[in-house]
Amino acid sequence: ESLYSYKPSKKVKKLFESSRDTIPVVYIPRKPHKNGLLVYKLNCKSKSNLPYVLSVFPHLISVPSGPQESLKQLISKIQGLYSNLHVIGDSAFGSYQMLEYLFSLGITATFSMRINEMEFIWKLLERCLQKGCWSSCYKENFLFSVYFGEHENEDGKTVDCYHHVATSGFTFH
């Protein structure tokens, strides 16, 4: 996802007010430009190792869409055009349902995941995990892994944290 700095002009505001539509400006505090037009992109790495944009889907407020629905829209646009796709996304896109959906389409996926997604697996893997180590388990077609580490919070203090990742990129026989 990308947030492009965007401030509608007075003319654009009047146009949208007269059409009773909503201006597609969002606020995301963690982004460098906190207000703007949110766009979801599906990229791949080209042969020259530069990013190559496969598809773009703007977040328009009049068309309800979130990260996961937008990912489905992006995939539907390019499905069948490319082989060996491996979708990688952060926790906004990652869910067990999304892994299953992409797996059913023959698409490999790796996502960071929120703790409330498959919480029983994360809690099991976090038990007795030492800092600086990984713990993993395989369930059905997916590998779930947890890393126990630390990061610097907004106050500049170092705090312990867990990183949750799930993928369909590994198979065990």
Side-chain angles (χ1 to χ4, degrees):
E1 68 185 13
S2 296
L3 189 64
Y4 296 98
S5 182
Y6 169 69
K7 185 176 181 182
S9 67
K10 288 180 183 182
K11 182 180 177 182
V12 169
K13 286 180 183 179
K14 282 184 181 182
L15 178 70
F16 271 85
E17 285 172 6
S18 66
S19 70
R20 296 181 179 219
D21 210 349
T22 309
I23 297 174
V25 175
V26 297
Y27 173 74
I28 302 178
R30 62 180 163 74
K31 295 288 186 184
H33 303 288
K34 296 175 184 354
N35 293 294
L37 178 64
L38 180 62
V39 176
Y40 298 103
K41 298 183 290 187
L42 193 57
N43 300 326
C44 71
K45 185 171 68 171
S46 67
K47 290 180 181 176
S48 61
N49 285 333
L50 295 172
Y52 179 77
V53 178
L54 298 175
S55 189
V56 176
F57 187 76
H59 171 78
L60 302 174
I61 296 170
S62 60
V63 180
S65 64
Q68 292 188 14
E69 189 56 39
S70 297
L71 178 57
K72 286 180 179 180
Q73 294 279 344
L74 289 166
I75 293 295
S76 71
K77 287 181 178 183
I78 61 143
Q79 193 175 356
L81 299 175
Y82 303 93
S83 60
N84 300 322
L85 284 178
H86 188 152
V87 175
I88 300 170
D90 66 14
S91 61
F93 300 92
S95 70
Y96 187 72
Q97 291 78 17
M98 183 58 73
L99 279 172
E100 286 182 317
Y101 172 75
L102 294 173
F103 186 80
S104 73
L105 298 176
I107 298 172
T108 303
T110 302
F111 295 113
S112 59
M113 305 271 274
R114 291 188 174 100
I115 185 72
N116 60 354
E117 273 294 327
M118 306 298 288
E119 186 173 8
F120 68 97
I121 290 179
W122 305 128
K123 291 296 182 188
L124 179 67
L125 291 174
E126 289 172 5
R127 275 184 85 185
C128 304
L129 185 60
Q130 296 178 2
K131 193 180 287 185
C133 294
W134 286 88
S135 182
S136 300
C137 73
Y138 191 73
K139 179 184 182 311
E140 295 166 0
N141 300 304
F142 310 113
L143 179 70
F144 295 87
S145 299
V146 174
Y147 177 75
F148 181 29
E150 53 188 33
H151 78 278
E152 197 173 290
N153 68 10
E154 295 160 358
D155 300 330
K157 295 180 183 174
T158 302
V159 294
D160 291 345
C161 65
Y162 291 97
H163 302 278
H164 307 94
V165 179
T167 186
S168 60
F170 295 94
T171 55
F172 295 91
H173 300 282

